[in-house]
Amino acid sequence: MYLADQTWPELSDYVAEESLALVPLGSTEQHGPHLPLSTDHTIAEGLARETADRTGYLCTPTVNVGVSPHHKQFHGTMWVDPPEFRDYVESFSRNLAYHGIDRIVFVNAHGGNQTHLREVGRRLREDEVAYAVEWMWDESITDLVDDLFAVNGPHGGPKETAMMMHLDPENVRTDELEAARDGGASDWPLDDAFVHGARNFYDAIDNTDNGVLGDQTDATPEKGRKLFEAASDQLAQLAEWLDDRRFEDLMAKPHVEPRPGSRR
């Protein structure tokens, strides 16, 4: 069920029975010479809407701009500063809770959002408003990703390329796959990326001239379909698991005994 397509009486029927929402979040940022800036939010929305159609859970509109200042040197990249991003996501999450949604899955397809979504989830749980979890699609199917691709790459690599070949093939520049591989950093991490245990980079351009990592020529639509189906299965199972939990059991555990001040 897609929230924005419903009327308010139809949504009242949903919240009378259910209390879970899928919230897709991505970015609008460079993904090399072969993929559109829409890559992350297209993947997030595709997975969330597929899972909502399959399970009947609610899917909200997609957050298309995320925390992407580390891609700022490349044309077209948009970003939100972390504090504003966290406050925005927390605000609309509290809005969902006002309507009766107390379990939220942040369906995330952008690594730059992860830490901040976890912080929002912590805030909501601390206030006992809702239980929100951040879910990153590729982290749910790591074995499959490793099986399908010899040289993966965490950004604009073959896994994202294959997913876009499946979801939005018209916007994949297949004639640029070799250029993406040869102009980027096909082997990751680079020798000087970590120095004596310290990360020696802040921006994507510090590691890759064209903004992407991995061997994009290893991507195919068939591999993308396998990734999409496997990740959708994982997301559906997560939503069902979360829906089965009692809200009280999802909240923070009480302080150990004796509690502070109990002997005064």
Side-chain angles (χ1 to χ4, degrees):
M1 176 185 288
Y2 184 58
L3 182 148
D5 288 344
Q6 309 304 310
T7 66
W8 73 259
E10 291 166 342
L11 288 170
S12 71
D13 292 339
Y14 178 83
V15 296
E17 300 292 335
E18 297 288 352
S19 59
L20 186 143
L22 306 169
V23 178
L25 304 100
S27 68
T28 299
E29 66 181 25
Q30 71 84 17
H31 275 78
H34 64 302
L35 291 178
L37 277 72
S38 61
T39 292
D40 285 347
H41 67 250
T42 296
I43 293 173
E45 181 169 340
L47 289 166
R49 294 191 70 158
E50 167 68 18
T51 302
D53 289 345
R54 186 187 305 185
T55 63
Y57 292 123
L58 189 67
C59 175
T60 73
T62 304
V63 177
N64 289 342
V65 179
V67 181
S68 302
H70 48 297
H71 295 288
K72 65 180 179 288
Q73 290 90 347
F74 297 95
H75 295 297
T77 293
M78 301 179 68
W79 67 90
V80 181
D81 290 333
E84 286 73 18
F85 177 79
R86 291 191 295 266
D87 288 347
Y88 176 71
V89 175
E90 180 181 356
S91 181
F92 73 65
S93 296
R94 289 178 180 272
N95 156 242
L96 289 172
Y98 175 80
H99 292 300
I101 300 297
D102 62 15
R103 298 129 208 269
I104 300 170
V105 180
F106 295 132
V107 181
N108 184 33
H110 173 51
N113 294 340
Q114 286 182 283
T115 300
H116 310 293
L117 293 174
R118 288 282 299 169
E119 170 60 17
V120 170
R122 187 197 65 77
R123 293 181 190 177
L124 295 171
R125 185 184 192 227
E126 189 72 18
D127 290 346
E128 298 189 350
V129 170
Y131 187 79
V133 292
E134 183 269 340
W135 178 84
M136 186 76 178
W137 73 270
D138 57 323
E139 293 184 356
S140 75
I141 52 171
T142 54
D143 290 343
L144 178 59
V145 170
D146 289 341
D147 287 344
L148 290 179
F149 307 111
V151 183
N152 182 28
H155 181 73
K159 65 186 177 188
E160 289 186 323
T161 304
M163 282 284 271
M164 288 298 284
M165 286 176 168
H166 173 66
L167 288 169
D168 189 15
E170 291 149 359
N171 278 317
V172 179
R173 282 67 166 174
T174 53
D175 59 336
E176 294 285 347
L177 295 182
E178 290 186 6
R181 177 196 62 197
D182 298 340
S186 59
D187 294 323
W188 173 258
L190 304 175
D191 290 340
D192 60 351
F194 296 87
V195 179
H196 301 297
R199 292 174 179 262
N200 187 34
F201 57 92
Y202 283 95
D203 297 331
I205 204 169
D206 295 334
N207 297 311
T208 165
D209 291 339
N210 69 1
V212 292
L213 307 162
D215 182 358
Q216 292 75 15
T217 65
D218 202 14
T220 66
E222 293 74 24
K223 290 180 180 180
R225 178 182 55 79
K226 290 179 180 179
L227 293 172
F228 184 79
E229 291 177 353
S232 297
D233 286 342
Q234 289 296 311
L235 180 55
Q237 291 181 54
L238 171 62
E240 289 165 358
W241 176 88
L242 189 57
D243 190 38
D244 284 343
R245 307 273 81 76
R246 291 195 320 149
F247 182 75
E248 295 80 5
D249 294 337
L250 295 169
M251 294 296 98
K253 302 295 187 292
H255 195 288
V256 297
E257 299 292 349
R259 297 189 183 186
S262 61
R263 293 177 179 172
R264 292 176 189 164

